[in-house]
């Protein structure tokens, strides 16, 4: 941090804040992802060679080759420019991955991009749209491929807000303000019923409510031509229990309480997704016949997803 601070000196960003706020936030996002120490250090220094008089050789000398090569990877990646031309998109994605022999570089690039998105307000409108479009078309899908969902949906929602401001505002009002209050009450009700049964069965558990993010709801509305009220899987209850045996036990308890929708049952524990994702998914006709999705998993599976 001191090194980056010294290198960037009194540089400011378009938002007016001191430049070092940006690498600091980038490093913070990486720390939240539980990235390792070299990755966080490289995050702090990721813009140094490109934007200051301090060189990669200086970083190498002070911090060694592991951190220096991560910073170098970021510098290389920043040279790929987005053209927006359809047929380049796929090759760009491939290049993005191929240019990087250390996946940690991609993580830093994502954290860098997420912070840039969060501060997009300070960028001129034309560039703002370009960055949002590029993120939605290239970064977010790659984050999805790698299974980094938290980053993917955060990036998508910010881009959605800038690219489709009207639709975003409408949906935000409907969903965040009207619908979530109602859903939270419903989730509380279901949670109470399930909790009672799990206590009786002496299963240690935690239950959290999960909401779908705005962009994925909007995507469903547009690709399947549905109205907001016709999209029922906007929330899920996640049940976390100690062992795999507990997972199946909980599934049995839930299916005894409410009838499952046969088509919506997925056993990703017995057959994980290609990216390694594991969990049991089931949608039941809960209280009032309302379609209610459960995701059942162990703490390890939850950490990995
Ligand atoms: Mn940066």
């Amino acid at each position: 941090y001191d090194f980056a601070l010294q290198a960037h000196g009194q540089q400011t960003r378009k938002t007016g804040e001191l430049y070092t706020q940006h690498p600091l936030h980038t490093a913070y996002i990486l720390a939240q992802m539980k990235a390792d120490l070299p990755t966080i250090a490289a995050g702090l220094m990721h813009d140094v060679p490109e934007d200051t008089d301090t060189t990669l050789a200086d970083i190498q000398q002070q911090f060694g080759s592991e951190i220096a090569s991560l910073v170098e990877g970021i510098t290389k990646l920043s040279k790929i420019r987005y053209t927006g031309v359809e047929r380049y998109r796929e090759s760009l994605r491939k290049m993005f991955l191929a240019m990087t022999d250390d996946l940690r570089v991609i993580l830093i690039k994502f954290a860098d991009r997420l912070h840039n998105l969060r501060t997009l307000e300070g960028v001129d409108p034309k560039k703002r749209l370009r960055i949002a479009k590029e993120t939605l078309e290239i970064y977010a899908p790659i984050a999805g491929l790698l299974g980094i969902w938290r980053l993917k949906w955060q990036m998508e929602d910010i881009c959605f807000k800038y690219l489709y401001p009207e639709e975003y505002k409408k949906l935000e009002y409907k969903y965040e303000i009207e619908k979530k209050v109602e859903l939270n009450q419903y989730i509380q009700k279901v949670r109470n019923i399930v909790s009672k049964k799990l206590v009786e069965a002496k299963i240690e558990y935690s239950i959290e409510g999960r909401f779908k993010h705005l962009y994925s709801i909007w995507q469903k509305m547009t690709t399947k031509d549905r109205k907001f009220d016709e999209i029922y899987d906007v929330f899920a209850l996640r049940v976390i229990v100690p062992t795999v045996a507990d997972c199946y036990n909980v599934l049995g308890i839930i299916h005894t309480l409410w009838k499952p929708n046969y088509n919506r049952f997925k056993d990703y524990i017995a057959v994980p997704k290609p990216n390694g994702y594991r969990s049991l998914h089931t949608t039941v006709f809960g209280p009032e016949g309302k379609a209610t999705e459960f995701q059942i998993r162990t703490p390890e599976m939850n950490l990995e997803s």
Side-chain angles (χ1 to χ4, degrees):
Y1 174 69
D2 288 337
F3 184 87
L5 189 64
Q6 191 150 39
H8 286 290
Q10 292 304 306
Q11 282 177 355
T12 53
R13 302 188 81 207
K14 292 221 173 88
T15 50
E17 63 188 357
L18 214 55
Y19 194 88
T20 39
Q21 283 298 310
H22 166 64
L24 187 58
H25 278 282
T26 302
Y28 184 62
I29 293 167
L30 288 165
Q32 285 178 315
M33 290 163 66
K34 302 197 197 308
D36 64 6
L37 199 57
T39 310
I40 294 170
L44 283 168
M45 295 184 280
H46 78 271
D47 280 329
V48 166
E50 190 120 285
D51 296 343
T52 77
D53 295 333
T54 308
T55 63
L56 197 62
D58 298 328
I59 294 176
Q60 158 104 37
Q61 200 181 15
Q62 284 239 19
F63 299 97
S65 52
E66 185 180 7
I67 290 173
S69 83
L70 289 170
V71 176
E72 188 184 12
I74 291 296
T75 311
K76 270 191 199 157
L77 266 187
S78 69
K79 300 217 158 53
I80 299 183
R81 288 281 175 241
Y82 174 68
T83 58
V85 182
E86 183 82 29
R87 64 198 158 100
Y88 287 133
R89 209 175 283 157
E90 198 49 47
S91 55
L92 199 59
R93 272 184 209 165
K94 283 191 190 123
M95 187 161 52
F96 203 117
L97 290 173
M99 280 184 70
T100 312
D101 43 20
D102 190 330
L103 199 59
R104 294 177 298 176
V105 172
I106 295 276
L107 297 184
I108 300 168
K109 190 69 198 163
F110 281 165
D112 171 43
R113 176 53 58 105
L114 182 57
H115 183 249
N116 282 334
L117 287 173
R118 286 178 181 166
T119 50
L120 217 48
E121 208 60 66
V123 175
D124 76 81
K126 213 175 140 194
K127 191 177 175 195
R128 203 187 289 163
L129 289 183
R130 180 182 64 76
I131 291 176
K133 209 156 181 258
E134 179 190 57
T135 306
L136 201 56
E137 290 179 356
I138 296 173
Y139 286 70
I142 292 175
L145 280 177
L146 298 174
I148 318 172
W149 301 107
R150 223 161 306 188
L151 271 182
K152 178 178 152 77
W153 66 251
Q154 285 186 59
M155 292 196 284
E156 283 179 344
D157 271 7
I158 298 173
C159 297
F160 178 32
K161 184 169 116 189
Y162 285 108
L163 292 173
Y164 307 94
E166 291 300 314
E167 289 87 341
Y168 180 89
K169 251 184 250 158
K170 258 193 261 173
L171 198 59
E172 188 190 31
Y173 186 82
K174 257 191 155 151
Y175 184 49
E176 301 285 339
I177 299 179
E178 293 178 343
K179 193 83 182 169
K180 272 197 181 166
V181 176
E182 177 195 320
L183 281 178
N184 269 319
Q185 287 170 348
Y186 178 78
I187 286 173
Q188 196 52 45
K189 187 171 170 180
V190 174
R191 189 208 302 258
N192 289 343
I193 298 170
V194 174
S195 294
K196 203 174 147 232
K197 293 286 178 193
L198 294 183
V199 170
E200 281 170 20
K202 296 194 168 58
I203 298 173
E204 241 181 85
Y205 69 94
S206 72
I207 304 180
E208 27 178 294
R210 315 279 306 176
F211 288 98
K212 236 198 183 93
H213 66 288
L214 286 175
Y215 181 70
S216 66
I217 293 175
W218 186 68
Q219 250 188 332
K220 250 196 172 150
M221 288 167 67
T222 48
T223 57
K224 299 199 171 162
D225 195 26
R226 288 206 187 125
K227 294 205 174 66
F228 177 71
D229 293 322
E230 294 166 357
I231 295 174
Y232 57 87
D233 57 343
V234 295
F235 72 99
L237 281 111
R238 186 169 289 177
V239 185
I240 299 162
V241 289
T243 66
V244 170
D246 290 329
C247 291
Y248 288 104
N249 215 337
V250 170
L251 181 74
I253 288 170
I254 289 167
H255 283 182
T256 310
L257 280 165
W258 299 294
K259 210 184 266 302
N261 178 342
Y262 180 77
N263 295 316
R264 307 252 319 161
F265 172 66
K266 296 273 173 6
D267 186 344
Y268 294 123
I269 294 179
V271 186
K273 283 192 189 181
N275 66 9
Y277 177 88
R278 291 181 302 155
S279 187
L280 296 175
H281 288 194
T282 188
T283 300
V284 298
F285 299 100
E288 301 146 42
K290 195 180 182 70
T292 305
E293 182 182 341
F294 284 92
Q295 303 173 350
I296 308 160
R297 53 179 69 178
T298 65
E300 294 76 48
M301 296 174 195
N302 197 39
L303 262 182
E304 285 164 10
S305 75

